[in-house]
Amino acid sequence: MKKKLVICDIDSTLVMKHKPLSDRAKHVIDYIRSKGILFGIASGRPIEDLRKIVGGWNFDSNKVDVYIGMNGGSLWDRFHQEEYEYFVMKREWLKETLDAMKPFNANPIIYEPGIVVTTRVDDMVRLSAESTKRDIC
């Protein structure tokens, strides 16, 4: 039997950035799950942060069947109860990438346990760190 899966990005798709999940969105998730369709959440954030965000929505986290974090670099599913990591960059690649981004008006961040490492603290970094109780470095 084929399974169906709906995966939603969080920021500006499922919810407005750093806002709670609406009652309408909760209803839609309940509806698709009642039809046997699995539901997942995706983001550029780590899975640890996705769990915190979902927990802050007053929403049953057991209704999330799949978490995709780090823009596809990590995956957790309810069936295996295990987090998988893909395409992890070597330290030297990180430095090379950060150097290549310097000419652009970008603000790359790196998630480390409990902290967000950034080259520039701005409102988006502050909001992101606050929403998941991370320090900024």
Side-chain angles (χ1 to χ4, degrees), residues 27-43:
H27 174 74
V28 170
I29 294 166
D30 286 340
Y31 176 77
I32 66 171
R33 292 191 86 248
S34 76
K35 299 295 181 188
I37 301 170
L38 302 174
F39 175 72
I41 292 186
S43 176

Side-chain angles (χ1 to χ4, degrees), residues 27-97:
H27 174 74
V28 170
I29 294 166
D30 286 340
Y31 176 77
I32 66 171
R33 292 191 86 248
S34 76
K35 299 295 181 188
I37 301 170
L38 302 174
F39 175 72
I41 292 186
S43 176
R45 302 166 195 232
I47 289 174
E48 169 189 355
D49 288 9
L50 300 181
R51 291 177 187 280
K52 288 178 185 176
I53 291 167
V54 169
W57 284 344
N58 192 25
F59 179 73
D60 181 0
S61 62
N62 291 319
K63 294 178 181 179
V64 179
D65 300 298
V66 176
Y67 288 100
I68 297 175
M70 303 306 294
N71 293 317
S74 59
L75 168 78
W76 177 90
D77 72 83
R78 178 171 58 85
F79 307 101
H80 296 98
Q81 299 279 317
E82 193 168 327
E83 187 171 334
Y84 302 92
E85 291 187 336
Y86 308 96
F87 311 111
V88 177
M89 292 178 77
K90 296 178 184 176
R91 289 180 87 80
E92 58 269 20
W93 296 352
L94 289 171
K95 181 175 179 353
E96 185 178 324
T97 301

Side-chain angles (χ1 to χ4, degrees), residues 94-108 118-120:
L94 289 171
K95 181 175 179 353
E96 185 178 324
T97 301
L98 291 173
D99 287 344
M101 293 176 76
K102 282 182 182 175
F104 304 98
N105 186 26
N107 191 11
T118 184
T119 56
R120 181 179 73 240

